[in-house]
Amino acid sequence: MAKAKTLYACTECGGQSPKWQGQCPHCGAWNTLVETLAAPAAARFENVAGARSSVTPLASVTPRATSRIATGLDEFDRVLGNGLVAGGVILLGGDPGIGKSTLLLQAGAALGAAHRTLYVTGEESAEQIALRAQRLGLVNAPIELLAEVQLEAIVAAINATAPEIVVIDSIQTVYTEALASAPGSVAQVRECAAQLTRLAKQRGVVVIFVGHVTKEGAIAGPRVLEHIVDTVLYFEGDPHSSFRLVRAIKNRFGAANELGVFAMTERGLRGVANPSALFMSQHAQGVAGSAVVATLEGSRPLLVEVQALVDPVQGGTPRRLAVGLDAQRLALLLAVLHRHGGVDTSGYDVFVNAVGGVRILEPAADLAVMLAVCSSLKNSPLPSKALVFGEVGLAGEVRPVQRGQERIREAAKLGFDTFLIPNMNKPKQVQENINIVPVDRVDEAIGWLRG
Ligand SMILES: Nc1ncnc2c1ncn2[C@@H]1O[C@H](COP(=O)(O)OP(=O)(O)OP(=O)(O)O)[C@@H](O)[C@H]1O
Ligand SMILES: [Mg+2]
Ligand SMILES: [Zn+2]
């Protein structure tokens, strides 16, 4: 195949250079030049309809009925927003060994019966996939395998066999002959993903890319991938525990931030339909430095234990470390705690952790983080069946969170009986033997802890 002409384009300003240079000659940015195809723009950026389109009134466009294709894995369907959509392109990212190939092989096996499914493996041989299928009890699964890394060959196979669902495991191994860069480079990943995405839209096939995550936590190669695809899913969870979370970071076909919960077993990933109590360590008695929050990540309330350890600084600057929570937010909360709660942590290292490897993105956890910190500092535990939620503002106010009732109900079901919550989330009536402590300000919450 003749080499297409390539050139180097700046990712900052879009300026082009015929050869690679460390600094962009147009905008002066460093290390921003990436190899790209110099092919006629018209062919490469052909729109998804194929031909030139004209201006149309919205009302005259008939939406294509998006029937959902269920994957047979309920938790996976939940994060996808009720299943796959024809022509949808999905990126599934996650740490090495977390279970990406396992999940997609299981889903593919379930889908294959009714929808022709092609599993393209660039990372493992067909024999390795067969071995995994054997372990998962899926040897006779109706799924087709292609061990191939060259884009042109993959595209030809898709055109020849017309599958409805294609898994590319992983996008980093795919390369096109047209570019000289190594497989896995930004240029290759971007170009291959763009071509496969265009194919998906034209043919109406579902394409699922597996993407590796770099040490920094981004999908290797480009953030641009996240813009190209319709849905971005990330695996999260503590690799040492058996629980695996799949979170929708972006979804053009459903709610973002939806969470699917799985347990990794010998026979593959099992959905956990009722995960609300998974992310707590089991203490018989309350321990200092622990507070349980009811978060609403996605559509289900999830109870998560927040732990804090506040310890005098051993020389040097105090350290602040947050695992599963936002470190910037922690710094902010400590400042509010000092200013409006009169609690000084400047001479202490502060470590906070969300139990079980779950990540809490909601500010509803603010009050729990703050109380866990105070509790550790004073070495005084919260009541053992206490639940805390509420957003904390810079002026020391405790702000309401959405769907407070639902959080309280879920926790009450699990035996929680004391609720420290924003005043504005106070329920109108509560069942007996439930103790609601409504607060408006941070100092009231701290006072309650001392109380
Ligand atoms: N015999 C086994 N019994 C139980 N669990 C196993 C067994 N073999 C593998 N696993 C689990 O499967 C996981 C590997 O899953 P998988 O290969 O799907 O991950 P991946 O995300 O595709 O990894 P990679 O990034 O390397 O491709 C292991 O980390 C382990 O938890
Ligand atoms: Mg894999
Ligand atoms: Zn530039």
Side-chain angles (χ1 to χ4, degrees):
M1 190 183 136
K3 278 260 185 301
K5 195 170 173 309
T6 63
L7 45 77
Y8 293 83
C10 173
T11 53
E12 290 290 320
C13 71
Q16 298 183 334
S17 325
K19 61 179 176 42
W20 191 83
Q21 310 172 50
Q23 189 179 22
C24 171
H26 304 277
C27 71
W30 286 93
N31 296 323
T32 54
L33 293 190
V34 168
E35 189 186 25
T36 40
L37 281 185
R44 293 190 53 232
F45 302 112
E46 186 177 274
N47 74 27
V48 287
R52 279 282 83 92
S53 39
S54 50
V55 176
T56 336
L58 173 63
S60 73
V61 182
T62 342
R64 202 187 300 171
T66 53
S67 58
R68 300 280 179 162
I69 307 170
T71 63
L73 303 173
D74 291 347
E75 290 294 304
F76 193 34
D77 286 339
R78 172 191 286 278
V79 262
L80 288 167
N82 274 329
L84 302 163
V85 175
V89 179
I90 297 155
L91 174 64
L92 176 65
D95 290 333
I98 192 112
K100 301 179 291 295
S101 305
T102 305
L103 178 64
L104 293 179
L105 186 61
Q106 285 181 255
L111 284 162
H115 308 273
R116 193 162 189 180
T117 302
L118 175 65
Y119 193 109
V120 181
T121 167
E123 219 132 83
E124 298 169 286
S125 63
E127 289 73 24
Q128 279 175 294
I129 304 281
L131 199 65
R132 174 177 297 122
Q134 201 172 48
R135 175 164 62 83
L136 302 177
L138 300 172
V139 261
N140 293 319
I143 183 168
E144 291 170 307
L145 292 182
L146 173 67
E148 181 59 75
V149 289
Q150 197 207 2
L151 178 72
E152 288 73 16
I154 295 170
V155 170
I158 295 173
N159 284 328
T161 62
E164 281 179 73
I165 292 143
V166 177
V167 174
I168 307 283
D169 190 359
S170 67
I171 187 66
Q172 273 99 356
T173 56
V174 180
Y175 77 98
T176 166
E177 292 281 319
L179 293 174
S181 326
S185 64
V186 175
Q188 286 284 3
V189 170
R190 196 164 61 174
E191 182 62 28
C192 294
Q195 290 208 30
L196 288 166
T197 300
R198 207 167 336 129
L199 188 67
K201 302 295 173 196
Q202 277 164 359
R203 299 195 63 106
V205 297
V206 177
V207 173
I208 308 178
F209 298 128
V210 171
H212 289 286
V213 168
T214 59
K215 283 198 209 71
E216 295 76 43
I219 290 198
R223 296 289 297 195
V224 275
L225 260 194
E226 297 189 358
H227 299 290
I228 295 176
V229 302
D230 298 306
T231 305
V232 180
L233 307 177
Y234 274 99
F235 259 102
E236 43 188 76
D238 179 358
H240 304 294
S241 91
S242 63
F243 295 109
R244 300 284 184 273
L245 304 173
V246 179
R247 190 190 295 270
I249 301 294
K250 153 182 168 174
N251 197 351
R252 288 188 183 142
F253 305 121
N257 251 335
E258 189 58 83
L259 212 53
V261 184
F262 297 91
M264 177 63 91
T265 71
E266 181 129 350
R267 315 261 313 185
L269 290 160
R270 286 270 141 79
V272 180
N274 191 3
S276 48
L278 286 184
F279 304 99
M280 293 189 283
S281 27
Q282 307 295 336
H283 313 292
Q285 234 78 85
V287 294
S290 155
V292 179
V293 60
T295 68
L296 262 176
E297 301 282 343
S299 51
R300 281 174 302 198
L302 212 56
L303 270 55
V304 182
E305 179 180 342
V306 174
Q307 297 182 329
L309 179 65
V310 181
D311 202 40
V313 174
Q314 309 295 335
T317 40
R319 290 195 291 165
R320 274 86 181 84
L321 185 79
V323 180
L325 294 148
D326 183 21
Q328 306 281 354
R329 191 96 197 147
L330 173 63
L332 183 150
L333 291 173
L334 293 179
V336 174
L337 192 59
H338 181 215
R339 188 62 180 271
H340 299 284
V343 177
D344 187 2
T345 54
S346 60
Y348 296 85
D349 289 332
V350 178
F351 307 99
V352 296
N353 173 36
V355 168
V358 66
R359 270 171 61 223
I360 311 181
L361 307 171
E362 271 201 309
D366 288 353
L367 200 56
V369 171
M370 216 172 227
L371 282 187
V373 166
C374 290
S375 162
S376 174
L377 185 68
K378 313 250 180 264
N379 201 19
S380 89
L382 273 73
S384 67
K385 285 291 173 195
L387 184 101
V388 182
F389 61 79
E391 180 180 346
V392 168
L394 287 181
E397 80 278 20
V398 176
R399 297 212 200 104
V401 301
Q402 48 164 332
R403 293 156 69 195
Q405 292 276 21
E406 217 173 302
R407 300 178 201 242
I408 295 173
R409 213 177 313 127
E410 186 69 21
K413 250 196 291 181
L414 292 166
F416 285 77
D417 56 14
T418 306
F419 295 82
L420 183 76
I421 59 170
N423 197 11
M424 281 161 78
N425 280 124
K426 191 174 134 184
K428 289 197 184 63
Q429 54 192 25
V430 288
Q431 58 199 88
E432 51 193 294
N433 59 45
I434 283 215
N435 177 22
I436 301 274
V437 185
V439 292
D440 277 312
R441 307 214 29 98
V442 164
D443 46 355
E444 290 169 50
I446 297 165
W448 172 77
L449 179 62
R450 286 212 191 93

